[in-house]
Amino acid sequence: MNEATEQQHPIGIFLKVWLLLFVLSIFSYMVDYFQLQGYWRWSLILIFMVLKAALIMSVFMHFMWERFALQFILLTPLFAIAIFVVMMAWESDYIHWTRLAFLSFDSGG
C-alpha cells in the first residue's frame, strides 16, 4: 500500500470515545440503581443506548470518515423506521383509549 491510500487515525480519539462509552454505561446502570420507573426509565435507557451505538458506529466502525452519500444511504432507512415505530406507538395508544371509551360496558346494577 502506498501512503496516499493508507489512513491512520490518532489513538487519542479512540481512548476518548472508550472513556465516554464507559461514562455512558455508568449512567445507564445508575438508572437501575436509583430505581427509576415508567417513561422516565425507558427514555433514559433508550437515550443512552442510542448515544453509545452512535459513538461505536461513528468512531470504531470508521463511519465518521465515510463519504456523505454512504452515510445518507445507511442512515435514511434507520430514521424512517424510527418514525414508523413512533407512529405505531401513537396509534396503539389511540386505539387502546378508543376501545376503553367506547367498548367498555358498565356491569353495575
Side-chain angles (χ1 to χ4, degrees):
M1 279 188 158
N2 64 25
E3 285 190 39
T5 60
E6 188 174 331
Q7 184 177 9
Q8 290 289 332
H9 305 295
I11 191 78
I13 192 166
F14 292 107
L15 293 175
K16 288 175 188 171
V17 169
W18 179 81
L19 181 65
L20 188 55
L21 287 170
F22 184 72
V23 169
L24 287 172
S25 293
I26 289 173
F27 286 155
S28 63
Y29 289 126
M30 295 305 278
V31 170
D32 283 332
Y33 181 77
F34 289 118
Q35 299 177 356
L36 298 174
Q37 298 297 322
Y39 286 118
W40 185 238
R41 171 193 175 101
W42 292 110
S43 298
L44 286 175
I45 288 174
L46 289 174
I47 288 170
F48 292 139
M49 178 190 67
V50 168
L51 286 174
K52 289 190 291 186
L55 277 172
I56 290 170
M57 264 181 47
S58 66
V59 177
F60 293 119
M61 296 174 70
H62 305 283
F63 198 65
M64 184 169 47
W65 295 284
E66 294 293 334
R67 292 190 342 217
F68 177 73
L70 181 61
Q71 292 176 357
F72 185 74
I73 288 171
L74 293 174
L75 293 178
T76 303
L78 291 175
F79 285 124
I81 290 170
I83 289 170
F84 289 138
V85 167
V86 168
M87 288 170 60
M88 286 187 293
W90 284 337
E91 184 180 9
S92 69
D93 280 343
Y94 170 76
I95 289 173
H96 175 72
W97 291 112
T98 304
R99 287 180 180 173
L100 285 176
F102 294 108
L103 298 178
S104 61
F105 299 102
D106 185 17
S107 60

